[in-house]
Amino acid sequence: MANSVSLRVSGALDQVRAVVEAALQPEGFRFTWEHAGQGIVEKGTRTKAMLLGVFATHYKYHVLLRPQPDGTVVVELGLATTGLSGGAAGAVKLRRKLDEVGRILTTAFQSSGSLVSPAQ
């Protein structure tokens, strides 16, 4: 189970951001962008997770889009919460969902023809 996901993709920052949003919004994620290249991706609420534990959904990840000198963009997602408001099982659930989000994004960028590689 991952603590972060990192992909190197081609395209302008706005195009990359659009692919990320298009891939994750159907999964129920909402976005809060601090600026064009940094924000929060979230599904569910912390309050429900605290009240209902592992039976509630709350996933919260940082997203960072970093333009590179070669014209590519590195897409990074990392944990924005421990998941412990849902108990120990909630922490495991949070990391497993991050693995799934990574697969969804990889597929979306492959389908758009813009996946360069998993970033190092």
Side-chain angles (χ1 to χ4, degrees):
M1 291 178 288
N3 287 328
S4 66
V5 170
S6 186
L7 304 170
R8 184 177 299 272
V9 299
S10 61
L13 190 66
D14 290 340
Q15 293 170 325
V16 172
R17 181 176 157 171
V19 171
V20 170
E21 288 180 351
L24 296 181
Q25 281 175 339
E27 298 292 320
F29 284 94
R30 60 190 181 279
F31 294 80
T32 306
W33 293 99
E34 296 173 26
H35 57 77
Q38 182 177 344
I40 298 290
V41 181
E42 189 169 17
K43 180 177 181 178
T45 65
R46 183 173 184 259
T47 303
K48 284 185 181 177
M50 289 176 66
L51 294 173
L52 301 173
V54 74
F55 299 107
T57 297
H58 184 233
Y59 305 114
K60 186 175 180 181
Y61 306 109
H62 291 287
V63 61
L64 184 61
L65 308 177
R66 295 185 303 119
Q68 302 297 300
D70 64 359
T72 62
V73 176
V74 173
V75 178
E76 295 179 341
L77 271 84
L79 302 176
T81 182
T82 62
L84 291 176
S85 60
V92 170
K93 191 173 153 182
L94 181 71
R95 284 177 171 76
R96 283 190 180 146
K97 187 65 172 183
L98 183 58
D99 290 342
E100 181 182 336
V101 166
R103 287 189 295 276
I104 291 168
L105 288 177
T106 299
T107 300
F109 284 112
Q110 282 175 333
S111 296
S112 71
S114 58
L115 181 67
V116 175
S117 68
Q120 302 301 326

